[in-house]
């Protein structure tokens, strides 16, 4: 089976930096994705890692260590609109490259 | 808008009734996925299509659930004899293979069974 763990909730201050961790156990690993989801809306793609290392995309960066089964999403210069759920998802080679999601981390950004 | 669209956005039904949802993927995408998401949880995989062929079904997909993608374009998900436990957000996503791209999600259909 597959197991993906991430914290349930986090709180951070506007303008600060926050790191959301994700650990996974899976077979047939074919990439790790981070999605952002505002309440009642569709998940939207943020980042993708398939090789070890850091991928940077504006205020968002994502890191992957395949040997440790570990990833994190780093959000810099937090804005109030970043308050949302952040979903870590592992893509596997079975079932047509389906995504298996963690439970999501609800981030609350406070002034 | 060329994103993934789902219809309806919301559906309230009485227990025991049948419901059908529709998903229109991004036009050139050959893979289409259905997921179910309950409050406070991440989406859970239900089934996927490669063009018109349904290639995988999760054990979450009981016999009351059926999905089709008759012409390899839009897809429908039908739930027969709905139960209160079916209340959830039903998300559709599409992607393009073999280009290894990310999956794009629709805004979902929120089903409430009363």
């Amino acid at each position: 089976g597959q197991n993906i763990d991430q914290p349930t909730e986090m709180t951070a201050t506007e303008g600060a930096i926050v790191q959301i961790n994700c650990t996974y156990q899976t077979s047939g690993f074919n990439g790790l994705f981070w999605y952002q989801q505002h309440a009642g809306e569709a998940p939207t793609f943020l980042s993708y890692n398939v090789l070890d290392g850091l991928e940077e995309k504006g205020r968002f960066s994502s890191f992957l260590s395949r040997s440790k089964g570990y990833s994190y999403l780093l959000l810099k210069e937090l804005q109030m609109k970043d308050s949302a759920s952040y979903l870590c998802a592992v893509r596997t080679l079975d079932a047509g490259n389906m995504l298996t999601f963690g439970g999501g981390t609800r981030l609350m950004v406070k002034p | 808008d060329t994103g993934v669209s789902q219809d309806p956005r919301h559906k309230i039904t009485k227990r025991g009734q049948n419901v059908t949802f529709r998903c229109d993927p991004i036009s050139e995408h050959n893979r289409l996925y259905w997921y179910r998401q309950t409050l406070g949880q991440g989406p859970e995989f239900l089934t996927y299509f490669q063009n018109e062929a349904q290639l995988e079904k999760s054990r979450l997909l009981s016999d009351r659930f059926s999905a089709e993608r008759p012409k390899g374009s839009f897809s429908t998900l039908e739930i027969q004899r709905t139960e209160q436990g079916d209340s959830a957000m039903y998300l559709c996503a599409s992607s393009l293979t073999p280009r290894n791209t990310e999956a794009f999600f629709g805004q979902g259909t929120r089903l409430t069974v009363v």
Side-chain angles (χ1 to χ4, degrees):
Chain A
Q2 302 179 51
N3 194 34
I4 300 172
D5 288 314
Q6 51 182 131
T8 306
E9 289 186 349
M10 296 183 73
T11 302
T13 305
E14 190 176 16
I17 299 173
V18 71
Q19 176 174 315
I20 303 174
N21 296 324
C22 172
T23 58
Y24 65 90
Q25 293 175 309
T26 188
S27 56
F29 178 84
N30 191 28
L32 189 139
F33 292 76
W34 285 95
Y35 281 81
Q36 180 191 61
Q37 187 177 29
H38 286 96
E41 297 185 9
T44 55
F45 170 76
L46 288 178
S47 71
Y48 164 64
N49 297 70
V50 68
L51 299 175
D52 292 351
L54 189 68
E55 293 285 337
E56 296 186 81
K57 211 176 187 182
R59 294 190 300 114
F60 296 81
S61 304
S62 58
F63 171 83
L64 175 68
S65 168
R66 289 171 296 169
S67 63
K68 295 182 179 177
Y70 169 68
S71 173
Y72 67 73
L73 179 70
L74 196 70
L75 292 78
K76 301 176 187 175
E77 301 168 16
L78 280 173
Q79 302 175 10
M80 298 298 290
K81 67 178 182 179
D82 296 329
S83 293
S85 285
Y86 291 85
L87 301 166
C88 172
V90 172
R91 185 170 65 185
T92 53
L93 293 170
D94 62 354
N97 278 326
M98 75 169 194
L99 294 172
T100 302
F101 286 86
T105 298
R106 189 182 311 165
L107 174 66
M108 185 178 302
V109 180
K110 294 186 173 179
Chain B
D1 184 22
T2 57
V4 179
S5 63
Q6 293 186 244
D7 182 71
R9 293 287 309 279
H10 302 275
K11 178 71 177 179
I12 300 174
T13 191
K14 291 184 179 178
R15 192 172 47 188
Q17 298 295 304
N18 299 344
V19 293
T20 300
F21 312 140
R22 177 180 170 123
C23 170
D24 287 89
I26 294 172
S27 60
E28 66 269 23
H29 283 187
N30 51 4
R31 284 224 173 123
L32 186 148
Y33 305 83
W34 285 99
Y35 288 83
R36 180 172 69 187
Q37 185 177 27
T38 52
L39 201 62
Q41 301 298 315
E44 296 174 292
F45 171 77
L46 292 178
T47 188
Y48 94 97
F49 292 83
Q50 174 78 23
N51 299 312
E52 68 276 8
Q54 186 175 18
L55 298 184
E56 186 81 20
K57 292 196 291 187
S58 161
R59 57 183 168 76
L60 293 175
L61 214 65
S62 77
D63 290 345
R64 297 184 296 105
F65 288 70
S66 61
E68 294 182 343
R69 194 183 183 197
K71 297 181 181 177
S73 55
F74 74 91
S75 175
T76 58
L77 178 68
E78 181 183 17
I79 308 174
Q80 296 182 325
R81 304 182 303 281
T82 52
E83 301 173 357
Q84 284 190 319
D86 297 331
S87 296
M89 175 78 85
Y90 290 84
L91 292 164
C92 175
S94 69
S95 67
L96 181 64
T97 60
R99 273 182 65 192
N100 220 25
T101 58
E102 70 271 23
F104 293 84
F105 282 83
Q107 291 192 296
T109 295
R110 180 168 295 285
L111 173 67
T112 303
V113 182
V114 297

